Amino acid sequence: MAAFGLRLYGPSRRLAHAPADPAMVERDLAMFLGFEPAAPPPGAPPVMITVGEQSPPVRHHAAAVLRARFGFDLRVLPGCGHAAHLDAPARFAELLAAAAGPGWPAAPTAAV
């Protein structure tokens, strides 16, 4: 589990972050090894790939392949590891809001 986490998530990953069930890690590894992305269907909204600047090389490689293969927008988030949404939530939210365009977010709705 330690090697899988280090390779996939980088040095910020700790063994304590891993699930308690080792079989879950085995299933995750099988899913990652078998994942072969396809182009979005016609009419799908734009896709943005994000990768943390401090993410391991395998993440940067995957992001570059997706950009080259499908023309996806690629953003590298400075000072972040794999979980940019956790490392810099405000910066990540700003990036999403900017990508969504003017007028977003819409007026707040009541909590459910």
Side-chain angles (χ1 to χ4, degrees):
M1 284 197 296
F4 174 65
L6 180 63
R7 175 87 171 150
L8 197 59
Y9 301 107
S12 66
R13 180 75 171 180
R14 302 285 175 259
L15 195 53
H17 297 152
D21 177 10
M24 183 179 214
V25 175
E26 291 173 16
R27 290 190 300 272
D28 282 353
L29 178 58
M31 184 267 308
F32 279 113
L33 291 174
F35 181 67
E36 186 61 40
V47 174
M48 177 192 304
I49 303 298
T50 61
V51 64
E53 174 187 42
Q54 298 168 359
S55 289
V58 68
R59 292 284 186 177
H60 286 275
H61 175 74
V65 168
L66 289 170
R67 180 181 185 183
R69 188 177 295 174
F70 303 117
F72 294 155
D73 184 18
L74 172 60
R75 305 293 176 95
V76 177
L77 288 111
C80 295
H82 165 63
H85 61 292
L86 299 176
D87 291 348
R91 192 176 330 140
F92 191 74
E94 289 169 7
L95 176 65
L96 295 179
W104 191 91
T109 57
V112 214

